[in-house]
Amino acid sequence: MQTTSTYKILVVDDDPDIVEMLHYNLTREGYHVAQAGNGKTAIEEAQAFKPDIILLDVMMPVLDGIAACRQLRDISEFRHTHIIFLTARSEEFSEVAAFEAGADDFLTKPIKPRALLSRLAAFKRRDAQQDEISNVIEIAGLRIDRTSFAVYKGDSKITLPKKEFELLSFLAATPNKVFSREELLHNIWGSDVYVIARTVDVHIRKVREKIGEENIRTIKGVGYKFNTD
């Protein structure tokens, strides 16, 4: 687990005033900070800087945040990097579109430094909790290695983005127990992160596409469970 002083954050926004404000507040807290002014440059900078967290504006020239997020998630080393979208209230912005692209969270502009630092601290706490997990789950033909974020079905390795992996791992750890969307949101995204219940449905659908429909069952009107029946 990294300390604050070694956590690296990439700030991506085409507004230099926002970049300067975020850079000032983050470096004052001991974070290492790099910056980019559009999505294309962000991808190049991410590959050189290797950030732990990316703060990504939505509306940018050259390559917007949604497209940049999708491209970053297609690069193996960034599949588990935390990506937080920055969006203006006036933008016609869909939370579902953000999470479909692979976002972990989003913040609404104007960015309040205290709220941002609190959000970053929440991600760090979850990283610390994940570092303490060192077991492997073998269930229903799947082998879920929670130390390497790897899922195996038979001889095939299945690659899942971090939130999809955490969701599968959480459900599989307590098979046949039904969890409501609210419980899943709280346990996977945390109480410090604002996401909608639809986010769970999006991630469940993506997990099913990769591991098969039979492992996760929908309990209508209640939620989801990992099925071993």
Side-chain angles (χ1 to χ4, degrees), residues 55 111-112 119 168:
L55 303 179
I111 305 299
K112 298 178 181 178
R119 204 68 60 90
L168 172 63

Side-chain angles (χ1 to χ4, degrees), residues 139-140 172 174-177 214-217 225-229:
I139 187 170
T174 315
N176 298 313
K177 175 177 171 59
E214 69 278 3
N215 292 116
I216 299 178
R217 178 175 294 177
K225 72 170 185 174
F226 189 94
N227 183 48
T228 60
D229 297 337

Side-chain angles (χ1 to χ4, degrees), residues 189-207:
W189 282 268
S191 57
D192 296 313
V193 177
Y194 173 74
V195 291
I196 58 176
R198 170 71 175 140
T199 301
V200 175
D201 301 333
V202 170
H203 282 72
I204 289 288
R205 175 174 56 79
K206 289 187 171 185
V207 172

